[in-house]
């Protein structure tokens, strides 16, 4: 802590101390001062010569704005990057992450032909119809972001069985190898409690929520994708433009 930083907190000024502290911590974050670790409550009390109440108020404001993450008994840390997705049209998580400048790749756990009567029915197929099943963990900056489970009709998607999907968009691969471009669909979003196995794959504890996205997508009037995606709630947010009169999105199960 430098003398200059300490002078940023002025008692008797028009701005509360906690707000001054919040602003100064934001400036220090922008300068990249907390790359290794963010200071704990008592360290901030000592560095800024303020009360614990003031520190907690500043940290609460930083949490609410998504700048830091913290939980009871844990030292605050700089929040991981968060992806926001506008609702109202068919979107690609791959393209969304790429557009924000973050690196991404996938760990493909399953890519195989299989039968699933329930899913086949959802796709408007006979229950015995063969499907292509893809399961992969999506990584952003080498940290888990989402767990994807996707089913596609085998008569459409069989060419994907030999494609490396660890570093490419599924929709891009469908267009390139299967001449299929998705044109619309429906998606339901709900909050769920992940299983222990899912938490391990996503790298989250019991204190982190997850969003469950279930999508049916079509191409040229035919259903060609049934997808279930589990996304970390601390790294992903859905945004809806309430001013759009044409918005047609279902966000409840």
């Amino acid at each position: 802590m430098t003398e200059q930083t300490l002078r940023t907190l002025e008692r008797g000024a028009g701005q509360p101390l906690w707000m001054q502290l919040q602003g100064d911590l934001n400036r220090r974050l922008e300068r990249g001062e907390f790359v290794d670790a963010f200071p704990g409550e008592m360290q901030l009390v000592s560095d800024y010569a303020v009360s614990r109440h003031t520190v907690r108020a500043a940290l609460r404001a930083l949490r609410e704005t998504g700048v830091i993450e913290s939980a009871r008994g844990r030292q605050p840390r700089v929040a991981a990057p968060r992806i926001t997705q506008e609702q109202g049209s068919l979107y690609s998580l791959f393209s969304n992450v790429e557009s924000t400048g973050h690196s991404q790749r996938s760990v493909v756990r399953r890519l195989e032909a299989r039968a699933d009567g329930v899913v086949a029915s959802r796709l408007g197929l006979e229950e015995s119809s063969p499907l292509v099943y893809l399961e992969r963990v999506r990584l952003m900056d080498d940290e888990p972001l989402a767990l994807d489970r996707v089913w596609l009709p085998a008569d459409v998607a069989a060419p994907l069985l030999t494609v490396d999907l660890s570093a490419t968009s599924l929709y891009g691969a469908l267009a390139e190898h299967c001449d299929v471009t998705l044109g619309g669909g429906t998606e339901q979003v709900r909050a769920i409690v992940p299983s222990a196995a899912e938490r391990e794959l996503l790298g989250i504890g019991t204190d982190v929520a997850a969003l469950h996205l279930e999508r049916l997508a079509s191409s040229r009037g035919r259903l060609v994708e049934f997808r279930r995606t589990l996304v970390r709630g601390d790294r992903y947010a859905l945004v809806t433009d309430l001013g759009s009169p044409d918005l047609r999105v279902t966000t409840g199960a």
Side-chain angles (χ1 to χ4, degrees), residues 84-98:
T84 59
Q85 175 60 56
E86 292 185 3
Q87 296 292 278
S89 61
L90 193 64
Y91 61 89
S92 164
L93 181 60
F94 183 95
S95 298
N96 194 355
V97 174
E98 290 267 293

Side-chain angles (χ1 to χ4, degrees), residues 75-88:
Q75 183 166 320
R77 62 180 182 180
V78 179
R82 176 169 294 188
I83 296 296
T84 59
Q85 175 60 56
E86 292 185 3
Q87 296 292 278

Side-chain angles (χ1 to χ4, degrees), residues 88-90 182-187 215-219 223 225 248-249:
S89 61
L90 193 64
L182 300 187
T186 61
E187 184 170 87
R215 176 184 296 180
L216 270 171
S218 61
S219 174
L223 292 173
E225 180 196 35
R248 298 291 186 271
V249 178

Side-chain angles (χ1 to χ4, degrees), residues 5 27-37:
T5 304
R27 287 188 290 273
R28 295 178 67 191
L29 281 162
E30 291 173 358
R31 293 197 297 266
E33 292 190 26
F34 304 127
V35 174
D36 296 327

